Amino acid sequence: SCSKHPVTRSQVLPSLVNGGLDDPRDLPNFFYQHLERDVRDLTQLTGKNFEEVVFFLHLIVKSLMETAGKERGIPTELTQRELRELWEREFDKRFIQPILSSLHTDVQRQMNQVLSE
């Protein structure tokens, strides 16, 4: 989070374990709410509106993809709809799906680590 008092992993995970998240199925909503808060914080910090901040985040992701994409054959020129759709599919396949496939295990491992500290 980009708030004045950023929440750290060591603060969030214990709150999840200690009742901050009653049902693990609520985890996507929990993270979505944090994402919304992060975007709201970015609007305040940058003085930009919601759409401009989302575009800013898109540019960051685009920059990451251009760097990684050149090595992996992902299109970096997004001037045509087909290329943008291919870019979205490739981004999902290479970045989102690998994280989602192990998210439960990764969250559990992090929770266990925090609890043992």
Side-chain angles (χ1 to χ4, degrees), residues 1-75:
S1 171
C2 294
S3 65
K4 292 179 185 176
H5 305 286
V7 177
T8 64
R9 162 180 73 98
S10 61
Q11 292 168 318
V12 171
L13 292 176
S15 72
L16 293 175
V17 173
N18 296 323
L21 184 66
D22 296 327
D23 185 345
R25 292 175 292 190
D26 290 337
L27 192 60
N29 189 43
F30 176 82
F31 285 118
Y32 182 76
Q33 288 172 352
H34 279 274
L35 182 60
E36 281 182 322
R37 187 181 67 209
D38 289 344
V39 170
R40 187 176 58 245
D41 289 347
L42 281 170
T43 63
Q44 292 173 352
L45 290 169
T46 63
K48 303 295 183 188
N49 67 33
F50 178 84
E51 290 80 14
E52 291 169 319
V53 167
V54 170
F55 183 67
F56 166 71
L57 294 171
H58 175 77
L59 291 175
I60 291 171
V61 170
K62 182 179 182 283
S63 176
L64 292 169
M65 282 293 291
E66 285 176 349
T67 302
K70 288 179 183 175
E71 300 167 3
R72 298 180 174 144
I74 299 170

Coordinates of all heavy atoms in Angstrom, one line a residue, residues 1-75:
S1 N 0.8 -1.2 0.0 CA 0.0 0.0 0.0 C 0.9 1.2 0.0 O 2.0 1.3 0.6 CB -0.9 0.0 1.2 OG -1.6 1.2 1.4
C2 N 0.4 2.3 -0.6 CA 1.1 3.6 -0.6 C 0.6 4.6 0.3 O 0.8 5.8 0.2 CB 1.1 4.1 -2.1 SG 1.9 3.1 -3.3
S3 N -0.1 4.1 1.4 CA -0.7 5.1 2.3 C 0.5 5.7 3.2 O 1.6 5.2 3.2 CB -1.7 4.4 3.2 OG -1.1 3.4 4.0
K4 N 0.1 6.7 4.0 CA 1.1 7.3 4.9 C 1.6 6.3 5.9 O 2.7 6.4 6.4 CB 0.5 8.5 5.6 CG 0.2 9.6 4.6 CD -0.5 10.8 5.4 CE -0.9 11.8 4.4 NZ -1.6 12.9 5.0
H5 N 0.8 5.3 6.2 CA 1.2 4.2 7.1 C 1.0 2.9 6.4 O 0.0 2.2 6.6 CB 0.3 4.3 8.4 CG 0.3 5.6 9.1 ND1 1.4 6.1 9.8 CD2 -0.6 6.6 9.1 CE1 1.1 7.3 10.3 NE2 -0.1 7.6 9.9
P6 N 2.0 2.6 5.6 CA 1.9 1.3 4.8 C 1.7 0.1 5.7 O 2.3 0.0 6.8 CB 3.2 1.2 4.0 CG 4.1 2.2 4.6 CD 3.3 3.2 5.4
V7 N 0.8 -0.8 5.3 CA 0.6 -2.0 6.0 C 1.6 -3.0 5.4 O 1.8 -3.2 4.2 CB -0.8 -2.5 5.7 CG1 -1.0 -3.9 6.4 CG2 -1.8 -1.5 6.2
T8 N 2.3 -3.7 6.3 CA 3.3 -4.6 5.9 C 2.8 -6.0 6.0 O 1.7 -6.3 6.6 CB 4.6 -4.6 6.9 OG1 4.1 -5.0 8.2 CG2 5.2 -3.2 6.9
R9 N 3.5 -6.9 5.3 CA 3.1 -8.3 5.3 C 2.9 -8.9 6.7 O 2.1 -9.6 7.0 CB 4.1 -9.1 4.5 CG 4.2 -10.6 4.6 CD 5.3 -11.1 3.8 NE 6.6 -10.9 4.3 CZ 7.3 -11.7 5.0 NH1 6.8 -12.9 5.3 NH2 8.5 -11.4 5.4
S10 N 3.8 -8.5 7.6 CA 3.8 -9.0 8.9 C 2.6 -8.5 9.7 O 2.2 -9.1 10.7 CB 5.1 -8.6 9.7 OG 5.2 -7.2 9.8
Q11 N 2.0 -7.4 9.2 CA 0.7 -6.9 9.9 C -0.5 -7.5 9.2 O -1.5 -7.8 9.9 CB 0.6 -5.4 9.7 CG 1.7 -4.6 10.5 CD 1.8 -3.2 10.1 OE1 1.7 -2.8 9.0 NE2 1.9 -2.3 11.1
V12 N -0.5 -7.7 8.0 CA -1.7 -8.2 7.3 C -1.9 -9.7 7.5 O -3.0 -10.1 7.9 CB -1.6 -8.0 5.7 CG1 -2.7 -8.8 5.0 CG2 -1.6 -6.5 5.4
L13 N -0.9 -10.5 7.4 CA -1.1 -12.0 7.5 C -1.6 -12.4 8.9 O -2.5 -13.2 9.0 CB 0.2 -12.7 7.1 CG 0.5 -12.6 5.6 CD1 1.8 -13.3 5.3 CD2 -0.6 -13.2 4.8
P14 N -1.0 -11.9 10.0 CA -1.6 -12.2 11.3 C -3.1 -11.8 11.5 O -3.9 -12.5 12.1 CB -0.7 -11.5 12.3 CG 0.6 -11.3 11.6 CD 0.2 -11.1 10.2
S15 N -3.4 -10.7 10.9 CA -4.8 -10.3 11.0 C -5.7 -11.2 10.2 O -6.8 -11.5 10.6 CB -5.0 -8.8 10.5 OG -4.9 -8.8 9.1
L16 N -5.2 -11.8 9.1 CA -5.9 -12.8 8.4 C -6.1 -14.1 9.3 O -7.2 -14.6 9.4 CB -5.2 -13.2 7.1 CG -5.1 -12.2 6.0 CD1 -4.2 -12.7 4.9 CD2 -6.4 -11.8 5.5
V17 N -5.1 -14.5 10.0 CA -5.1 -15.6 10.8 C -6.0 -15.4 12.0 O -6.7 -16.3 12.5 CB -3.7 -16.0 11.2 CG1 -3.7 -17.2 12.3 CG2 -2.9 -16.5 10.0
N18 N -5.9 -14.2 12.6 CA -6.6 -13.9 13.8 C -8.0 -13.3 13.6 O -8.5 -12.5 14.4 CB -5.8 -12.9 14.7 CG -4.5 -13.5 15.1 OD1 -4.4 -14.7 15.4 ND2 -3.4 -12.8 15.1
G19 N -8.6 -13.6 12.5 CA -10.0 -13.2 12.4 C -10.3 -12.1 11.4 O -11.4 -11.7 11.1
G20 N -9.2 -11.6 10.8 CA -9.4 -10.5 9.8 C -10.0 -11.1 8.5 O -10.6 -10.3 7.8
L21 N -9.9 -12.3 8.3 CA -10.5 -13.0 7.2 C -11.2 -14.3 7.7 O -10.6 -15.2 8.0 CB -9.5 -13.3 6.1 CG -9.9 -13.9 4.8 CD1 -10.8 -12.9 4.1 CD2 -8.7 -14.4 4.0
D22 N -12.5 -14.2 7.8 CA -13.3 -15.3 8.4 C -13.3 -16.5 7.5 O -13.3 -17.6 7.9 CB -14.7 -14.8 8.7 CG -14.7 -13.8 9.8 OD1 -13.8 -13.8 10.7 OD2 -15.6 -12.9 9.7
D23 N -13.4 -16.3 6.2 CA -13.6 -17.3 5.2 C -12.5 -17.2 4.2 O -12.4 -16.2 3.5 CB -15.0 -17.3 4.6 CG -15.3 -18.4 3.7 OD1 -14.4 -19.2 3.3 OD2 -16.5 -18.6 3.4
P24 N -11.7 -18.2 4.0 CA -10.6 -18.1 2.9 C -11.2 -17.8 1.5 O -10.5 -17.3 0.7 CB -10.0 -19.5 3.0 CG -10.3 -20.1 4.3 CD -11.6 -19.5 4.7
R25 N -12.4 -18.2 1.3 CA -13.0 -17.8 0.0 C -13.2 -16.3 -0.2 O -13.4 -15.9 -1.3 CB -14.4 -18.5 -0.1 CG -14.2 -20.1 -0.2 CD -15.5 -20.7 -0.3 NE -16.2 -20.5 1.1 CZ -17.3 -21.1 1.5 NH1 -17.9 -21.9 0.7 NH2 -17.7 -20.8 2.7
D26 N -13.0 -15.6 0.9 CA -13.1 -14.1 0.8 C -11.8 -13.5 0.4 O -11.7 -12.3 0.3 CB -13.6 -13.5 2.1 CG -15.1 -13.8 2.4 OD1 -15.8 -14.1 1.5 OD2 -15.4 -13.8 3.6
L27 N -10.7 -14.3 0.3 CA -9.4 -13.8 0.0 C -9.4 -12.9 -1.3 O -8.8 -11.8 -1.2 CB -8.4 -14.9 -0.1 CG -6.9 -14.5 -0.1 CD1 -6.5 -13.7 1.1 CD2 -6.1 -15.7 -0.3
P28 N -10.0 -13.3 -2.4 CA -10.0 -12.4 -3.5 C -10.6 -11.0 -3.2 O -10.1 -10.0 -3.6 CB -10.8 -13.1 -4.6 CG -10.7 -14.6 -4.2 CD -10.6 -14.6 -2.7
N29 N -11.7 -11.0 -2.5 CA -12.3 -9.7 -2.1 C -11.4 -8.9 -1.2 O -11.3 -7.7 -1.3 CB -13.7 -10.0 -1.5 CG -14.5 -8.7 -1.3 OD1 -14.5 -7.9 -2.2 ND2 -15.1 -8.6 -0.1
F30 N -10.8 -9.6 -0.3 CA -9.8 -9.0 0.6 C -8.7 -8.2 -0.2 O -8.4 -7.1 0.1 CB -9.2 -10.0 1.6 CG -8.2 -9.5 2.5 CD1 -8.5 -8.8 3.7 CD2 -6.8 -9.6 2.2 CE1 -7.6 -8.4 4.5 CE2 -5.9 -9.1 3.1 CZ -6.2 -8.5 4.2
F31 N -8.1 -8.9 -1.1 CA -7.1 -8.3 -1.9 C -7.6 -7.3 -2.8 O -7.0 -6.2 -3.1 CB -6.3 -9.4 -2.7 CG -5.4 -10.2 -1.8 CD1 -5.5 -11.5 -1.6 CD2 -4.3 -9.6 -1.1 CE1 -4.7 -12.3 -0.8 CE2 -3.5 -10.3 -0.3 CZ -3.6 -11.6 -0.2
Y32 N -8.8 -7.4 -3.4 CA -9.4 -6.4 -4.2 C -9.6 -5.1 -3.4 O -9.4 -4.0 -3.9 CB -10.7 -6.9 -4.8 CG -11.4 -5.9 -5.7 CD1 -10.9 -5.7 -7.0 CD2 -12.5 -5.2 -5.3 CE1 -11.5 -4.8 -7.8 CE2 -13.0 -4.2 -6.1 CZ -12.5 -4.1 -7.4 OH -13.1 -3.1 -8.2
Q33 N -10.1 -5.2 -2.2 CA -10.3 -4.1 -1.3 C -8.9 -3.4 -1.1 O -8.9 -2.1 -1.1 CB -10.9 -4.4 0.0 CG -12.4 -4.8 -0.2 CD -13.0 -5.4 1.1 OE1 -12.3 -5.6 2.1 NE2 -14.3 -5.6 1.1
H34 N -7.9 -4.1 -0.9 CA -6.5 -3.5 -0.7 C -6.1 -2.9 -2.0 O -5.5 -1.8 -2.0 CB -5.5 -4.6 -0.2 CG -5.6 -4.8 1.2 ND1 -5.0 -4.0 2.2 CD2 -6.4 -5.7 1.9 CE1 -5.3 -4.5 3.4 NE2 -6.1 -5.5 3.3
L35 N -6.4 -3.5 -3.1 CA -6.0 -2.9 -4.4 C -6.8 -1.5 -4.6 O -6.2 -0.6 -5.0 CB -6.3 -3.8 -5.6 CG -5.9 -3.4 -7.0 CD1 -4.4 -3.1 -7.1 CD2 -6.3 -4.4 -8.0
E36 N -8.0 -1.5 -4.3 CA -8.8 -0.3 -4.4 C -8.2 0.8 -3.5 O -8.1 1.9 -3.9 CB -10.3 -0.5 -4.0 CG -11.1 -1.2 -5.0 CD -12.6 -1.3 -4.5 OE1 -12.8 -1.6 -3.3 OE2 -13.5 -1.1 -5.4
R37 N -7.8 0.4 -2.3 CA -7.2 1.4 -1.4 C -5.9 1.9 -1.9 O -5.6 3.1 -1.9 CB -7.0 0.8 0.0 CG -6.6 1.8 1.0 CD -6.3 1.2 2.4 NE -5.2 0.4 2.3 CZ -5.0 -0.7 3.1 NH1 -5.9 -1.0 4.0 NH2 -3.9 -1.4 3.0
D38 N -5.1 1.0 -2.5 CA -3.8 1.4 -3.1 C -4.1 2.4 -4.2 O -3.3 3.4 -4.3 CB -3.1 0.2 -3.6 CG -2.5 -0.7 -2.5 OD1 -2.5 -0.2 -1.3 OD2 -2.2 -1.8 -2.7
V39 N -5.0 2.1 -5.1 CA -5.3 3.1 -6.2 C -5.8 4.4 -5.6 O -5.4 5.5 -6.1 CB -6.4 2.4 -7.2 CG1 -6.8 3.5 -8.2 CG2 -5.7 1.3 -7.9
R40 N -6.7 4.3 -4.6 CA -7.1 5.6 -4.0 C -6.0 6.4 -3.4 O -5.9 7.6 -3.6 CB -8.2 5.2 -2.9 CG -8.9 6.5 -2.3 CD -10.0 6.1 -1.3 NE -9.5 5.3 -0.2 CZ -9.8 4.0 0.0 NH1 -10.7 3.4 -0.8 NH2 -9.3 3.3 1.0
D41 N -5.1 5.6 -2.7 CA -3.9 6.3 -2.2 C -3.0 6.9 -3.3 O -2.5 8.0 -3.1 CB -3.0 5.3 -1.4 CG -3.7 4.9 0.0 OD1 -4.7 5.5 0.4 OD2 -3.2 3.9 0.5
L42 N -2.9 6.2 -4.4 CA -2.1 6.7 -5.5 C -2.7 8.0 -6.1 O -2.1 8.9 -6.5 CB -1.9 5.7 -6.6 CG -0.8 4.7 -6.3 CD1 -0.8 3.5 -7.3 CD2 0.6 5.3 -6.3
T43 N -4.1 8.0 -6.1 CA -4.7 9.2 -6.6 C -4.4 10.4 -5.7 O -4.2 11.5 -6.2 CB -6.3 9.1 -6.7 OG1 -6.8 8.8 -5.4 CG2 -6.7 8.0 -7.7
Q44 N -4.4 10.2 -4.4 CA -4.1 11.3 -3.5 C -2.6 11.7 -3.6 O -2.3 12.9 -3.5 CB -4.4 10.9 -2.0 CG -5.9 10.7 -1.8 CD -6.3 10.1 -0.5 OE1 -5.4 9.7 0.3 NE2 -7.5 10.1 -0.1
L45 N -1.7 10.7 -3.7 CA -0.3 11.0 -3.7 C 0.1 11.7 -5.0 O 1.0 12.6 -5.0 CB 0.5 9.7 -3.5 CG 0.5 9.1 -2.1 CD1 1.1 7.7 -2.1 CD2 1.2 10.0 -1.1
T46 N -0.5 11.3 -6.1 CA -0.1 11.9 -7.4 C -1.0 13.1 -7.8 O -0.6 13.8 -8.8 CB -0.2 10.8 -8.5 OG1 -1.6 10.4 -8.6 CG2 0.7 9.6 -8.2
G47 N -2.1 13.2 -7.2 CA -3.0 14.3 -7.6 C -3.7 14.0 -8.9 O -4.3 14.9 -9.6
K48 N -3.7 12.7 -9.3 CA -4.3 12.3 -10.6 C -5.7 11.6 -10.2 O -5.9 11.2 -9.1 CB -3.5 11.3 -11.3 CG -2.1 11.8 -11.7 CD -2.2 12.9 -12.7 CE -0.8 13.3 -13.1 NZ -0.8 14.5 -13.9
N49 N -6.6 11.6 -11.2 CA -7.9 10.9 -11.0 C -7.7 9.4 -11.1 O -6.7 8.9 -11.5 CB -9.0 11.5 -11.9 CG -8.8 11.2 -13.3 OD1 -8.2 10.2 -13.7 ND2 -9.2 12.1 -14.2
F50 N -8.8 8.7 -10.8 CA -8.8 7.2 -10.8 C -8.3 6.7 -12.2 O -7.4 5.8 -12.2 CB -10.2 6.7 -10.5 CG -10.3 5.2 -10.6 CD1 -9.9 4.4 -9.5 CD2 -10.7 4.6 -11.7 CE1 -10.0 3.1 -9.5 CE2 -10.8 3.2 -11.7 CZ -10.5 2.4 -10.6
E51 N -8.9 7.2 -13.3 CA -8.5 6.7 -14.6 C -7.1 6.9 -14.9 O -6.4 6.1 -15.5 CB -9.4 7.4 -15.7 CG -10.9 6.9 -15.6 CD -11.7 7.6 -14.6 OE1 -11.2 8.6 -14.0 OE2 -12.8 7.1 -14.3
E52 N -6.6 8.1 -14.5 CA -5.2 8.4 -14.8 C -4.2 7.5 -14.0 O -3.2 7.0 -14.5 CB -4.9 9.9 -14.4 CG -5.5 10.9 -15.4 CD -5.4 12.3 -14.9 OE1 -5.6 12.5 -13.7 OE2 -5.2 13.2 -15.7
V53 N -4.6 7.2 -12.8 CA -3.8 6.2 -11.9 C -3.8 4.8 -12.5 O -2.8 4.2 -12.6 CB -4.3 6.3 -10.5 CG1 -3.7 5.1 -9.7 CG2 -3.9 7.6 -9.8
V54 N -5.0 4.4 -13.0 CA -5.1 3.1 -13.6 C -4.2 3.1 -14.9 O -3.5 2.1 -15.1 CB -6.6 2.7 -13.9 CG1 -6.6 1.5 -14.8 CG2 -7.3 2.5 -12.6
F55 N -4.3 4.1 -15.6 CA -3.4 4.2 -16.8 C -2.0 4.2 -16.5 O -1.1 3.5 -17.1 CB -3.8 5.5 -17.6 CG -3.0 5.6 -18.9 CD1 -3.2 4.7 -20.0 CD2 -2.0 6.6 -19.1 CE1 -2.5 4.8 -21.2 CE2 -1.3 6.7 -20.3 CZ -1.6 5.8 -21.3
F56 N -1.6 4.9 -15.4 CA -0.2 4.9 -14.9 C 0.2 3.5 -14.5 O 1.3 3.0 -14.9 CB -0.2 5.8 -13.6 CG 1.1 5.7 -12.8 CD1 2.3 6.2 -13.2 CD2 1.0 5.1 -11.5 CE1 3.4 6.0 -12.5 CE2 2.1 5.0 -10.7 CZ 3.3 5.5 -11.2
L57 N -0.6 2.7 -13.8 CA -0.3 1.4 -13.5 C -0.2 0.5 -14.7 O 0.7 -0.4 -14.8 CB -1.4 0.8 -12.5 CG -1.4 1.4 -11.2 CD1 -2.6 1.0 -10.4 CD2 -0.1 1.2 -10.4
H58 N -1.1 0.8 -15.7 CA -1.0 0.1 -17.0 C 0.4 0.3 -17.7 O 1.0 -0.6 -18.2 CB -2.1 0.5 -17.9 CG -2.1 -0.1 -19.3 ND1 -2.4 -1.4 -19.5 CD2 -1.7 0.4 -20.4 CE1 -2.2 -1.6 -20.8 NE2 -1.8 -0.5 -21.4
L59 N 0.8 1.6 -17.6 CA 2.1 1.9 -18.2 C 3.3 1.1 -17.5 O 4.2 0.7 -18.2 CB 2.4 3.4 -18.2 CG 1.5 4.2 -19.1 CD1 1.8 5.7 -18.9 CD2 1.7 3.8 -20.6
I60 N 3.2 1.0 -16.2 CA 4.2 0.2 -15.5 C 4.2 -1.2 -15.9 O 5.3 -1.8 -16.2 CB 4.0 0.3 -13.9 CG1 4.3 1.8 -13.5 CG2 4.8 -0.7 -13.2 CD1 3.9 2.0 -12.0
V61 N 3.0 -1.8 -16.0 CA 2.9 -3.2 -16.4 C 3.4 -3.3 -17.9 O 4.1 -4.2 -18.2 CB 1.5 -3.7 -16.3 CG1 1.3 -5.0 -17.0 CG2 1.1 -3.8 -14.8
K62 N 3.0 -2.4 -18.7 CA 3.5 -2.4 -20.1 C 5.0 -2.3 -20.2 O 5.6 -3.1 -21.0 CB 2.9 -1.2 -20.9 CG 3.2 -1.1 -22.3 CD 2.5 0.1 -23.0 CE 2.8 0.1 -24.5 NZ 4.2 0.6 -24.8
S63 N 5.6 -1.5 -19.4 CA 7.1 -1.4 -19.4 C 7.7 -2.7 -18.9 O 8.7 -3.2 -19.5 CB 7.5 -0.3 -18.4 OG 8.9 -0.2 -18.3
L64 N 7.1 -3.3 -17.9 CA 7.6 -4.7 -17.5 C 7.5 -5.7 -18.6 O 8.4 -6.5 -18.9 CB 6.9 -5.1 -16.3 CG 7.1 -4.4 -15.0 CD1 6.1 -4.8 -13.9 CD2 8.5 -4.6 -14.5
M65 N 6.3 -5.6 -19.3 CA 6.1 -6.6 -20.4 C 7.0 -6.3 -21.5 O 7.4 -7.3 -22.2 CB 4.6 -6.5 -20.8 CG 3.7 -7.2 -19.9 SD 3.9 -9.0 -19.9 CE 3.4 -9.4 -21.6
E66 N 7.3 -5.1 -21.8 CA 8.2 -4.8 -22.9 C 9.6 -5.4 -22.7 O 10.2 -5.9 -23.5 CB 8.2 -3.3 -23.2 CG 7.0 -2.8 -23.9 CD 7.0 -1.3 -24.1 OE1 7.9 -0.6 -23.5 OE2 6.1 -0.8 -24.8
T67 N 10.0 -5.2 -21.4 CA 11.3 -5.7 -21.1 C 11.4 -7.2 -21.1 O 12.2 -7.8 -21.8 CB 11.7 -5.2 -19.6 OG1 11.7 -3.8 -19.6 CG2 13.1 -5.7 -19.2
A68 N 10.4 -7.8 -20.5 CA 10.3 -9.3 -20.5 C 9.8 -9.8 -21.8 O 10.2 -10.9 -22.3 CB 9.4 -9.8 -19.4
G69 N 8.9 -9.1 -22.5 CA 8.3 -9.6 -23.7 C 9.3 -9.7 -24.8 O 9.2 -10.6 -25.7
K70 N 10.3 -8.8 -24.9 CA 11.3 -8.9 -26.0 C 12.0 -10.2 -25.9 O 12.3 -10.8 -27.0 CB 12.2 -7.7 -25.9 CG 11.6 -6.4 -26.3 CD 12.5 -5.2 -26.2 CE 11.8 -3.9 -26.6 NZ 12.6 -2.8 -26.4
E71 N 12.2 -10.7 -24.7 CA 13.0 -11.9 -24.6 C 12.1 -13.1 -24.9 O 12.6 -14.2 -25.2 CB 13.5 -12.0 -23.1 CG 14.4 -10.9 -22.7 CD 14.7 -10.9 -21.2 OE1 14.2 -11.8 -20.5 OE2 15.4 -10.0 -20.8
R72 N 10.8 -13.0 -24.7 CA 9.8 -14.1 -24.8 C 8.9 -14.0 -26.0 O 8.0 -14.8 -26.1 CB 9.0 -14.1 -23.6 CG 9.8 -14.4 -22.3 CD 8.9 -14.4 -21.1 NE 9.7 -14.8 -20.0 CZ 9.5 -14.3 -18.7 NH1 8.6 -13.4 -18.5 NH2 10.3 -14.7 -17.7
G73 N 9.1 -13.1 -26.9 CA 8.3 -13.1 -28.1 C 6.9 -12.5 -27.9 O 6.0 -12.8 -28.7
I74 N 6.7 -11.7 -26.9 CA 5.4 -11.1 -26.7 C 5.4 -9.8 -27.4 O 6.3 -9.0 -27.4 CB 5.2 -10.9 -25.2 CG1 5.2 -12.2 -24.4 CG2 3.9 -10.2 -24.9 CD1 5.3 -12.1 -22.9
P75 N 4.3 -9.5 -28.1 CA 4.2 -8.2 -28.9 C 4.4 -7.0 -27.9 O 3.8 -7.0 -26.8 CB 2.8 -8.2 -29.5 CG 2.0 -9.2 -28.7 CD 3.0 -10.2 -28.1

